[in-house]
Amino acid sequence: MTAVTEVAATIQTLRREVCALHAQLTRYQLVVWTAGNVSARVPGQDLLVIKPSGVAYADLTPDHMVVCDLRGRVVEGEHAPSSDTEAQAYVYRHLPRVGGVVHTHSTYATAWAARGEPIPCVLTMAADEFGGDIPVGPFAVIGDDSIGRGIVETLGQSRSAAVLMQNHGVFTIGPTARAAVKAAVMCEDVARTVHISRQLGQPIPVEQASVDQLYERYQNVYGQR
Ligand SMILES: [Zn+2]
């Protein structure tokens, strides 16, 4: 295959993957109506694949996905891209390790975001997945770089793959789009459990040495090699 057809084939694969991953957002009840989205970087290219704006989850097909450059400009696709495209493009531009970004307004995590309160690391699964507290990013509105900048600045100072943007919702990152979706699912699960725990008393923080040990093991040893 020539380089051009190879990139085209990669984009076709990513269209299918990104489309299919949106079913996980509804499966885990992280989104309502058309809110939320998944995107993936096209490896080695200054391109991303993202959900179109305003298309119902049940109607999404691979062909609906929109290919944009890392300034959020449409390169290929019939539809307008998600209104979060600029923010996600900013993340890909500034964090080369990121291969996937997810955005949701999942209920429990967004309730923490509404208070501007980080989710404390009081569960081993939070230490595993996020390596500490899930941090809060600044209040920012759509229309300029401020959401993207807030995500990058907050996650740049944290091991967490999730950030709660104040008064808004969750952005997660990962080496792949699938990993970012997993982080979004885990973020909501942690937010829900810690919220419930706080109704009954004061959750016990996991000691820093144990957080470090759990994170190290989960990130590097756990699972199938
Ligand atoms: Zn949003």
Side-chain angles (χ1 to χ4, degrees):
M1 273 200 288
T2 68
V4 174
T5 53
E6 237 171 81
V7 173
T10 302
I11 287 174
Q12 265 320 107
T13 304
L14 286 172
R15 279 177 176 280
R16 281 196 297 274
E17 279 178 18
V18 169
C19 181
L21 283 167
H22 282 90
Q24 302 298 322
L25 303 189
T26 51
R27 177 182 180 192
Y28 289 100
Q29 299 187 320
L30 305 184
V31 292
V32 297
W33 201 240
T34 63
N37 46 69
V38 179
S39 72
R41 185 197 294 275
V42 181
Q45 307 294 314
D46 286 338
L47 296 173
L48 62 87
V49 177
I50 194 165
K51 171 174 165 281
S53 183
V55 178
Y57 277 86
D59 298 335
L60 289 175
T61 68
D63 285 343
H64 283 132
M65 301 302 123
V66 185
V67 182
C68 294
D69 68 15
L70 297 191
R71 296 273 163 191
R73 291 174 295 223
V74 175
V75 172
E76 183 187 299
E78 303 288 308
H79 290 69
S82 157
S83 51
D84 296 303
T85 303
E86 266 183 69
Q88 302 202 8
Y90 187 98
V91 174
Y92 290 116
R93 265 197 340 269
H94 289 84
L95 298 176
R97 66 193 160 93
V98 171
V101 181
V102 171
H103 175 49
T104 80
H105 305 150
S106 66
T107 304
Y108 283 90
T110 302
W112 289 85
R115 294 194 302 271
E117 187 179 356
I119 305 172
C121 190
V122 294
L123 300 169
T124 58
M125 69 171 166
D128 286 344
E129 184 72 28
F130 301 107
D133 297 356
I134 299 176
V136 173
F139 177 80
V141 287
I142 286 179
D144 56 22
D145 271 351
S146 58
I147 294 180
R149 211 168 49 237
I151 298 167
V152 168
E153 282 171 6
T154 309
L155 293 182
Q157 298 163 13
S158 171
R159 287 192 292 212
S160 176
V163 52
L164 311 174
M165 292 301 282
Q166 190 184 306
N167 303 107
H168 182 175
V170 181
F171 283 84
T172 61
I173 57 173
T176 61
R178 187 173 184 276
V181 170
K182 181 191 173 211
V185 172
M186 300 304 279
C187 179
E188 180 62 4
D189 195 41
V190 167
R192 179 164 166 266
T193 304
V194 178
H195 172 82
I196 291 169
S197 172
R198 279 232 305 223
Q199 307 312 298
L200 302 171
Q202 196 55 44
I204 303 161
V206 180
E207 278 180 35
Q208 188 60 48
S210 300
V211 172
D212 293 343
Q213 198 186 359
L214 286 162
Y215 182 74
E216 172 65 24
R217 177 189 154 275
Y218 189 78
Q219 300 296 323
N220 298 314
V221 182
Y222 175 83
Q224 306 291 323
R225 291 291 118 188

